[in-house]
Amino acid sequence: MIGSFALCGGRIFDGAVFLDGQALVVENGRIKTIMPVADLSSSIERRDVAGGLIVPGFIDLQVNGGGGVLLNNQPDLDGIRTICSAHAAYGTTALLPTLITDTVDIRSKAVAAGIAAFAEKVPGYLGLHLEGPHLSVARKGTHDPSLIRPLESDDLQFLVEKAGHFGEALITLAPESVSTADVTKLVEAGYVVSLGHTNAKARDILPYVSAGASMVTHLFNAMSQMENREPGLVGVALANGRLSCGLIADGFHVDPIVIQVALAAKQGPGRIFLVTDAMSTIGTDQQGFLLNDREVFRRGGRLTLADGTLAGADIDMLSCVRFAHEHIGLPLTEALNMASLYPAEAIGCATKGSLAAGMDADLLVLKPDLSLMATFIAGACVFGEDFSKGAAA
């Protein structure tokens, strides 16, 4: 167990406001309290962050890979460990390794790996995101069309049986490939159902929201767009407060002006939150990799197939936060919440996303220029300095 210590000497963002002159007290992997530095007991270990910003750790609900590993290509426990570790170096303290459309065998292996990672409490592992194969070929994006197929009874039985065994469960589905009854059964089993990779019209989408779908996968990308006489999934996502929406803020997937419009238009309580859709390149100098036996090229911050189709993203969550703050013009507090509090709310994770008493001690120390000094998961420093001795973790 992690003992007690207090982070002080910086500004604390608790998920609502920045606090000065305060200390964040961690005890046994959780946040005990935030209190004035002057009131700290003389017996507690004080760790001075030297003017840094203490903020909630980032939560990424769509991570295909990192550290040279793509979950589809290495669906095992070591693969998940590598992905989580790679993203911790960029401030992500909880993530959903994401399996995109693949074979039944690969899906089974990925779920087995998720069960093992959950049982072993791999730092940073939150659960799994199954993105496909039950999507629409018309909006396939980089998903292999030969592997896209409708959800069948065997699929539903497998998913329901495995629910609750691998942590948080998120699944992306298209109305073209599932029934509303399927959605309700998955939600009842514990899945968060996200709509995506669909060309459906609004009138066909709304029954799926009523059936329990509560999220939209990478808003604007691989979905029916909003037109003057047809709202599409984009229009439904912005107008319907039941839906939370992931969004890739890398400057390539969605234009900054469109992001500004979406943020202004979104109806709550569902919110727009940041996802990376990161591939194996994060934390490496890889110039390409294979996805379903197709080559993906890394050039100029973009990942594409040979035909130019975007194939995931070459960005980490800290860079997404910087982009939202510096290029979209969001207040830093809002950019931080889009990477922490809002995804926690969307997935229904009550112990993460802010620095309130009783929450998991998943937190970051940033320099004022938003470069990363340290990443803590459950009170343990997993990247950077732990500020007790100044040694690298």
Side-chain angles (χ1 to χ4, degrees):
M1 298 288 285
I2 304 299
S4 298
F5 62 90
L7 293 175
C8 49
R11 305 188 72 206
I12 300 171
F13 177 61
D14 64 359
V17 296
F18 273 102
L19 304 169
D20 295 298
Q22 303 286 305
L24 181 80
V25 180
V26 174
E27 184 174 85
N28 296 327
R30 291 186 176 270
I31 296 166
K32 183 177 182 180
T33 188
I34 295 175
M35 62 187 298
V37 174
D39 295 342
L40 282 173
S41 168
S42 59
S43 63
I44 195 167
E45 177 192 357
R46 300 188 184 203
R47 301 187 185 183
D48 191 333
V49 303
L53 308 177
I54 303 168
V55 306
F58 302 146
I59 300 170
D60 195 343
L61 304 186
Q62 191 166 3
V63 184
N64 307 292
V69 169
L70 193 69
L71 184 61
N72 285 69
N73 295 347
Q74 189 180 336
D76 59 27
L77 180 58
D78 285 342
I80 287 177
R81 280 201 189 100
T82 299
I83 292 168
C84 291
S85 178
H87 285 271
Y90 300 95
T92 296
T93 56
L95 60 80
L96 298 182
T98 300
L99 185 77
I100 77 164
T101 296
D102 215 310
T103 64
V104 171
D105 179 58
I106 293 296
R107 182 189 63 184
S108 296
K109 289 178 179 177
V111 170
I115 292 171
F118 184 60
E120 293 197 17
K121 299 182 179 179
V122 171
Y125 175 78
L126 184 62
L128 292 175
H129 179 171
L130 304 176
E131 187 188 359
H134 314 301
L135 309 174
S136 166
V137 172
R139 293 286 184 170
K140 65 184 184 299
T142 193
H143 292 240
D144 187 341
S146 69
L147 296 172
I148 292 174
R149 59 185 178 78
L151 184 118
E152 298 176 347
S153 58
D154 287 349
D155 298 308
L156 185 61
Q157 181 179 352
F158 173 84
L159 293 168
V160 170
E161 286 178 352
K162 300 302 181 182
H165 297 288
F166 57 82
E168 301 291 346
L170 174 60
I171 187 167
T172 295
L173 303 169
E176 293 93 323
S177 289
V178 299
S179 69
T180 55
D182 293 333
V183 168
T184 297
K185 289 176 183 176
L186 288 168
V187 171
E188 289 174 345
Y191 286 84
V192 173
V193 172
S194 187
L195 302 176
H197 287 275
T198 175
N199 208 35
K201 296 182 182 297
R203 65 173 179 269
D204 298 318
I205 294 166
L206 289 169
Y208 287 81
V209 181
S210 298
S214 60
M215 197 182 294
V216 170
T217 296
H218 46 50
L219 183 65
F220 292 107
N221 295 111
M223 64 182 60
S224 47
Q225 301 297 299
M226 184 168 64
E227 301 176 5
N228 59 325
R229 285 186 287 273
E230 172 47 53
L233 181 54
V234 169
V236 172
L238 296 178
N240 196 306
R242 297 184 188 180
L243 295 173
S244 299
C245 308
L247 185 140
I248 307 168
D250 64 351
F252 300 113
H253 280 78
V254 188
D255 187 276
I257 293 175
V258 174
I259 295 175
Q260 290 173 334
V261 171
L263 290 169
K266 182 68 181 96
Q267 299 298 299
R271 299 180 185 269
I272 294 174
F273 59 89
L274 299 174
V275 295
T276 62
D277 200 20
M279 290 295 201
S280 58
T281 53
I282 300 304
T284 77
D285 58 3
Q286 275 188 333
Q287 294 306 303
F289 57 91
L290 292 178
L291 174 63
N292 301 131
D293 295 322
R294 297 166 299 162
E295 191 168 5
V296 176
F297 301 90
R298 185 187 201 184
R299 300 190 186 105
R302 292 160 55 101
L303 299 175
T304 64
L305 298 176
D307 64 2
T309 300
L310 286 171
D314 188 20
I315 195 167
D316 58 84
M317 189 59 85
L318 183 55
S319 296
C320 286
V321 169
R322 287 199 196 102
F323 187 89
H325 179 49
E326 297 169 3
H327 295 277
I328 307 302
L330 294 179
L332 179 57
T333 53
E334 184 67 4
L336 290 169
N337 276 336
M338 287 180 70
S340 54
L341 179 61
Y342 300 164
E345 291 175 341
I347 202 70
C349 186
T351 63
K352 301 181 187 296
S354 72
L355 300 183
M359 304 290 276
D360 293 338
D362 293 354
L363 57 95
L364 312 176
V365 182
L366 306 175
K367 292 182 180 179
D369 67 359
L370 302 187
S371 58
L372 182 63
M373 298 173 72
T375 302
F376 289 79
I377 297 178
C381 184
V382 297
F383 176 81
E385 299 183 16
D386 66 7
F387 302 102
S388 60
K389 300 176 183 177

